[in-house]
Amino acid sequence: MEVCDLINNYPRLYHMAEDGSFPSIQQNGLMSTTALLDTYGIVGEQRLSLEERRRPECVTISRAGLPDVVIRDNKPMSDSALEKCLQNGLTPHQWYKILNGRTFFWLHENRLRRLLAARAYRNRAHTILTINTNTLVAAHEDKILLSPINSGSTIMKPQPRGSMTFLPISDYPFAERRRTRSLENALVELTVDYSVPDLAQHLIAAQRFEAGRIYDLWRKPGSDENEGL
């Protein structure tokens, strides 16, 4: 896949964050679970339980001098389903750790909307971020990997996944997949390794979503009021 194809076909990226997290994201950027655990000095068994195991509920972590942060659940996955769909000898623990080491963005608004409507999330408030693909890719291309599936879900018929699920932009078979799939399904996730410390520089809108209603928390000056959800 060429970078220009990525930007032209998916000019916006979307991320669903914890309600109330925007001030921290605006100041410190978007951090993966692993980055948060490093920053908050989480070690030992607590770290293993958060980084290498399924989190059925959100977990709040704390450290003196820092605001409390919430690590979101990964309810859509289960060990039993992962054992059936993982390839290349990977274990569920290894897969959780791989995912926890990256930050994730949807490439199509429809996928974000379906996540918001899912039973586990529809009755909770969320922070929704809309990001400029062009500027984020320009700043972090060497840390970006692409995925053809929802790598954090094993609901329904879990698709196979393994060491080749995440690929650099230049290796991603976009043209091949596009021949038989819609834009929404030709490319599903864009991920950035560890963290995006300068996310605020790429942000177009931050919104709060609750009970089907949405309002702006922040919007880039001069941006189209229709940007976002």
Side-chain angles (χ1 to χ4, degrees), residues 170-185:
S170 60
D171 293 342
Y172 190 83
F174 179 73
E176 176 186 337
R177 291 181 60 82
R178 188 68 180 94
R179 283 196 289 269
T180 58
R181 295 171 175 84
S182 65
L183 273 178
E184 179 183 344
N185 294 313

Side-chain angles (χ1 to χ4, degrees), residues 2-187:
E2 301 291 337
V3 170
C4 61
D5 292 328
L6 173 61
I7 294 166
N8 291 336
N9 285 292
Y10 306 98
R12 297 292 178 261
L13 303 171
Y14 304 94
H15 179 84
M16 186 176 85
E18 185 68 16
D19 183 41
S21 64
F22 180 60
S24 176
I25 292 173
Q26 194 173 29
Q27 180 176 349
N28 303 310
L30 187 65
M31 288 190 268
S32 66
T33 296
T34 295
L36 286 171
L37 296 175
D38 288 344
T39 300
Y40 280 72
I42 306 300
V43 297
E45 181 60 29
Q46 183 184 11
R47 181 164 187 136
L48 286 175
S49 69
L50 294 174
E51 193 174 30
E52 299 185 26
R53 296 172 189 159
R54 182 176 183 266
R55 297 186 299 271
E57 302 295 338
C58 294
V59 178
T60 300
I61 59 175
S62 306
R63 184 173 185 176
L66 295 174
D68 291 356
V69 296
V70 175
I71 296 178
R72 295 178 70 88
D73 65 76
N74 47 23
K75 287 180 180 178
M77 287 188 291
S78 71
D79 288 6
S80 59
L82 283 174
E83 287 169 354
K84 296 175 183 178
C85 66
L86 281 173
Q87 301 176 323
N88 313 117
L90 289 175
T91 66
H93 292 332
Q94 290 171 321
W95 190 249
Y96 292 130
K97 190 169 184 178
I98 287 170
L99 300 190
N100 285 324
R102 309 197 68 82
T103 58
F104 286 79
F105 302 89
W106 297 116
L107 288 119
H108 202 287
E109 184 181 328
N110 287 347
R111 288 189 174 271
L112 171 63
R113 289 189 178 277
R114 284 202 294 275
L115 184 63
L116 290 169
R119 180 182 302 175
Y121 304 115
R122 68 180 65 150
N123 295 320
R124 292 172 49 195
H126 306 278
T127 294
I128 304 301
L129 307 177
T130 301
I131 297 113
N132 185 318
T133 307
N134 187 11
T135 63
L136 184 136
V137 171
H140 298 285
E141 183 177 353
D142 61 333
K143 296 169 55 182
I144 289 174
L145 296 179
L146 305 177
S147 168
I149 65 170
N150 180 350
S151 60
S153 176
T154 56
I155 297 173
M156 301 296 286
K157 296 179 180 179
Q159 298 180 62
R161 63 205 69 195
S163 59
M164 296 302 291
T165 296
F166 297 103
L167 295 172
I169 298 172
S170 60
D171 293 342
Y172 190 83
F174 179 73
E176 176 186 337
R177 291 181 60 82
R178 188 68 180 94
R179 283 196 289 269
T180 58
R181 295 171 175 84
S182 65
L183 273 178
E184 179 183 344
N185 294 313
L187 175 57

